Amino acid sequence: MALSFPAFVAEKLKAERFRLLDIGCSGGLDPAWRAFEPRLQALGIDASETECRRLAERERNPDVSYVAAFVSSSADKPVDHSAGPAAPLIMRMRDRLSFMRTREIREARLKDASTEEKLRHNAWEMTGLADPRKPIVASDLLAQRGWTDLDYLKIDIDGGDFEILQSFTGRFDDLDVLAVQLEVNFIGTGKPDEHSFHNTDRFMRGEGFDLFRLDVRNSSTRALPARYIWPTPAETVSGRPFQGEAYYARDVLAPHCAATAAGLSAEKVAKLAAVFSAWDVPDAAAELLVGRREILAPLFDVDAGLDLLAAQTQKNRRRPLRYRDYMATFEADSPAFYRPEGPVPMMERIKSAWRGYWHPREKRH
């Protein structure tokens, strides 16, 4: 198997680690980050004690640990995960959707199902849970563990995500956070404190981050269910935009990020490029290598890195062009960069209609 760009960067790190905080880690860490091992240091937090125990038993990296706890903005603020009137809007809205009807149909079976099966149905509340009356504050936990540097933050807890995100207000610079992955909701009432995409986006831009990728998950209503994309009930091939995944990072080449960029080490910049590659936005990684070639050159062969990113862009080519040749074909306005004139081929139509099936990126609950 060809070396991935994140693995290429990981091999070149010297004293640096790749530090990851995953809030809502059920299902395990994204395998993409394992490319940084043995320099990966990660902390996973999840409300399911059963899942955290299972993950800990399977974990082979001594620098990866799991904490079973609810997360709140204050240790004195209990978490209400009920589905009643006080629950987050997302918890009440989902009852109108087809995947919740499927859960009702399968409820009896799920009661006796494995933790993995329950999590595949996003039925995390049916697993053994931590005490919601004793939540932890994520930033406090990092301080207790001596983490003064954090590369990557992920939040996906099906509820108070925005509240937890706001608890990091003013902390991103102190921790030198490079990138943040967030579950976002495309529903809401317009309230400024609601967990909705527009509030999340405004907050992240205020903290100095830009949006580099946005995945949208559609969900049909129970009134007329659409076909599920996955083998388990989750997003559907049609329906309203319900939830999604937003990927934010420092745009160190942008004028408004000049001050932050000036303080980043070569290894930090290299890790940011690796994050872009792992997000499948290799163009952003390539732009970073070209724009910061001078500081990255002592760390690794920039041209070799660009060749790997060019190969990632050419996934459908058996023999991908090297970066220099690839760019030359673009500058020549090659027909290879265009769909041929004429009717759209049937296979291309199918791929477009079933993009979730052809290019799977399953959500981890």
Side-chain angles (χ1 to χ4, degrees), residues 3-13 18 30-40 61 274 277-278:
L3 182 70
S4 69
F5 181 76
F8 171 78
V9 169
E11 286 183 351
K12 310 302 179 182
L13 296 180
F18 184 82
D30 190 321
W33 309 127
R34 297 291 180 175
F36 283 99
E37 289 181 327
R39 296 198 174 278
L40 173 66
N61 185 341
S277 175

Side-chain angles (χ1 to χ4, degrees), residues 70-304:
F70 281 88
V71 181
S72 180
S73 57
S74 169
D76 299 322
K77 185 178 180 181
V79 175
D80 180 8
H81 65 280
S82 67
L89 178 62
I90 190 72
M91 299 293 283
R92 289 175 280 138
M93 286 289 291
R94 70 178 192 170
D95 288 337
R96 297 165 55 185
L97 304 177
S98 57
F99 74 84
M100 285 302 292
R101 177 55 189 152
T102 298
R103 273 188 51 180
E104 293 168 1
I105 295 170
R106 297 183 175 185
E107 184 174 4
R109 191 185 87 188
L110 282 175
K111 288 180 179 179
D112 298 322
S114 66
T115 298
E116 290 181 272
E117 179 69 9
K118 290 174 181 176
L119 293 174
R120 275 196 292 270
H121 285 72
N122 202 21
W124 56 269
E125 64 270 28
M126 295 179 69
T127 66
L129 301 180
D131 190 343
R133 299 168 298 177
K134 299 178 180 178
I136 63 172
V137 178
S139 57
D140 291 349
L141 182 61
L142 291 179
Q144 292 167 12
R145 300 209 170 196
W147 284 36
T148 58
D149 182 90
L150 179 66
D151 295 303
Y152 197 92
L153 170 65
K154 178 210 149 201
I155 304 176
D156 179 356
I157 59 172
D158 289 338
D161 301 53
F162 188 54
E163 177 187 341
I164 305 309
L165 178 63
Q166 289 177 296
S167 72
F168 283 89
T169 301
R171 299 293 312 281
F172 292 106
D173 288 343
D174 294 338
L175 290 168
D176 283 335
V177 177
L178 294 173
V180 183
Q181 177 183 342
L182 303 166
E183 183 175 65
V184 293
N185 298 330
F186 296 110
I187 59 170
T189 63
K191 294 180 180 178
D193 59 346
E194 198 165 60
H195 179 209
S196 58
F197 173 65
H198 66 277
N199 285 334
T200 298
D201 190 66
R202 185 183 301 111
F203 174 83
M204 290 304 297
R205 293 182 187 279
E207 292 291 326
F209 290 82
D210 283 73
L211 183 67
F212 278 84
R213 173 172 173 160
L214 179 63
D215 296 345
V216 178
R217 298 193 293 272
N218 298 319
S219 292
S220 60
T221 67
R222 63 171 67 203
L224 188 61
R227 189 174 188 269
Y228 292 118
I229 287 178
W230 308 110
T232 53
E235 60 185 298
T236 51
V237 296
S238 62
R240 68 189 292 180
F242 184 59
Q243 289 186 303
E245 209 77 12
Y247 300 81
Y248 289 90
R250 305 282 190 182
D251 186 358
V252 300
L253 299 177
H256 63 279
C257 291
T260 300
L264 293 181
S265 67
E267 291 187 327
K268 272 282 191 178
V269 174
K271 286 189 287 185
L272 178 56
V275 167
F276 287 144
S277 175
W279 284 353
D280 203 21
V281 283
D283 58 300
E287 184 184 35
L288 197 51
L289 265 61
V290 172
R292 290 291 183 267
R293 178 185 285 269
E294 185 175 335
I295 69 166
L296 291 172
L299 189 63
F300 59 73
D301 184 339
V302 174
D303 290 321

Side-chain angles (χ1 to χ4, degrees), residues 321-335:
L321 299 174
R322 298 182 64 149
Y323 176 76
R324 187 183 300 275
D325 297 329
Y326 181 81
M327 293 302 296
T329 62
F330 177 78
E331 292 297 328
D333 201 15
S334 168

